[in-house]
Amino acid sequence: MMKTAARILVVEDDAQIRRFVCNSLTAEGYSVFEAETVARALVEAASRQPELFVVDLGLPDRDGRELISELRAWTLAPVIVLSARDREEDKVAALDAGADDYLMKPFGVPELLARVRAQLRRSTVLAGSEHAGMVSFDEVAVDLAGREVRRQGNLVRLTPTEYRLLVALIRGHGRVLTHRHLLLEVWGPNSSERAHYLRIYMGNLRQKLEVDPANPRHFMTELGVGYRLVGLS
């Protein structure tokens, strides 16, 4: 069961939006703290040790992406970006900086709360999987320690590249992982020319691991940005 007392830091310079977000999260039982600048956010983050961050990009003292990069130097707590910036490049830049999700303004409370719950679940699943070395979804079980993948109990043979891509997606469970992030993690430096490889290998994973590869439930495409893996347990 998800802890409803999870600590959340909201970083937003618009007082009205900040109050709206904080009140919405508090009403759900979360322990909410707030900051209006990057400088204040870093102080609050160090003292409160939040389990999740909600961050605006357009902050008055520094860009929110700088805050995300600094947070990623010492915490893996999920970061949800709230921003009015709707350009694909801005989304990719925020995600590459270490954000886990990106929600456009204006947004509805139900969607915000759903994103928060999803990211907190992701943190719980990853903590458990690191300890147990095992994750699963639908009919698929992945033994990370034994480097085995089984579907309905039967061994699934993945190529080394397919397995590396699967592990990268598992590590980022629930996060939107950009094309650049996955290319670097799976194929290494100087892989920018291999974007078409990523589409091919994602297709292979869907064929081998999804119940209905044409309508995937777990290996999801974020158009123009990247991919995410959802539904692990």
Side-chain angles (χ1 to χ4, degrees):
M1 182 180 297
M2 185 190 72
K3 297 189 298 180
T4 54
R7 299 180 303 280
I8 299 177
L9 177 61
V10 176
V11 187
E12 166 66 65
D13 66 318
D14 186 306
Q16 185 174 353
I17 296 176
R18 188 172 67 249
R19 186 162 49 249
F20 170 71
V21 173
C22 289
N23 288 345
S24 300
L25 294 171
T26 300
E28 290 296 303
Y30 297 111
S31 180
V32 183
F33 310 97
E34 57 186 274
E36 68 283 354
T37 64
V38 170
R40 187 63 205 169
L42 291 171
V43 172
E44 291 291 322
S47 61
R48 306 290 189 179
Q49 295 290 307
E51 293 162 78
L52 183 140
F53 297 85
V54 178
V55 176
D56 180 31
L57 295 181
L59 298 169
D61 54 344
R62 294 164 62 190
D63 193 278
R65 287 175 299 182
E66 295 180 42
L67 170 61
I68 296 168
S69 295
E70 291 199 28
L71 292 174
R72 280 290 165 260
W74 61 271
T75 179
L76 294 176
V79 176
I80 298 176
V81 168
L82 296 183
S83 180
R85 300 177 187 175
D86 59 358
R87 295 189 312 159
E88 191 174 283
E89 307 92 277
D90 291 318
K91 295 179 183 179
V92 170
L95 293 165
D96 276 339
D100 297 272
D101 206 348
Y102 197 106
L103 188 56
M104 288 294 303
K105 298 176 181 178
F107 55 88
V109 171
E111 183 175 9
L112 170 64
L113 295 177
R115 302 284 184 104
V116 167
R117 290 192 298 268
Q119 291 301 327
L120 290 173
R121 280 197 304 271
R122 166 185 168 262
S123 295
T124 301
V125 168
L126 287 181
S129 65
E130 285 174 7
H131 181 265
M134 182 75 72
V135 296
S136 62
F137 55 94
D138 281 346
E139 306 165 331
V140 177
V142 182
D143 181 351
L144 296 168
R147 297 176 64 87
E148 281 190 352
V149 181
R150 292 183 178 272
R151 182 173 178 182
Q152 293 183 316
N154 300 314
L155 188 65
V156 178
R157 298 197 178 279
L158 299 181
T159 69
T161 301
E162 288 168 356
Y163 184 77
R164 286 198 302 273
L165 178 56
L166 176 61
V167 170
L169 291 163
I170 289 172
R171 286 175 180 159
H173 172 230
R175 288 182 58 195
V176 180
L177 301 177
T178 64
H179 298 124
R180 177 175 175 272
H181 174 99
L182 289 169
L183 286 168
L184 285 172
E185 186 155 345
V186 178
W187 282 275
N190 305 315
S191 58
S192 60
E193 302 302 319
R194 298 179 179 175
H196 60 291
Y197 287 6
L198 192 50
R199 290 192 296 274
I200 292 169
Y201 281 96
M202 283 297 299
N204 292 348
L205 288 180
R206 286 171 174 152
Q207 287 293 330
K208 293 181 178 183
L209 303 179
E210 287 277 8
V211 173
D212 182 0
N215 298 287
R217 296 176 52 198
H218 301 284
F219 296 91
M220 309 304 293
T221 299
E222 298 291 331
L223 288 176
V225 178
Y227 299 94
R228 78 164 94 202
L229 176 62
V230 300
L232 291 188
S233 59

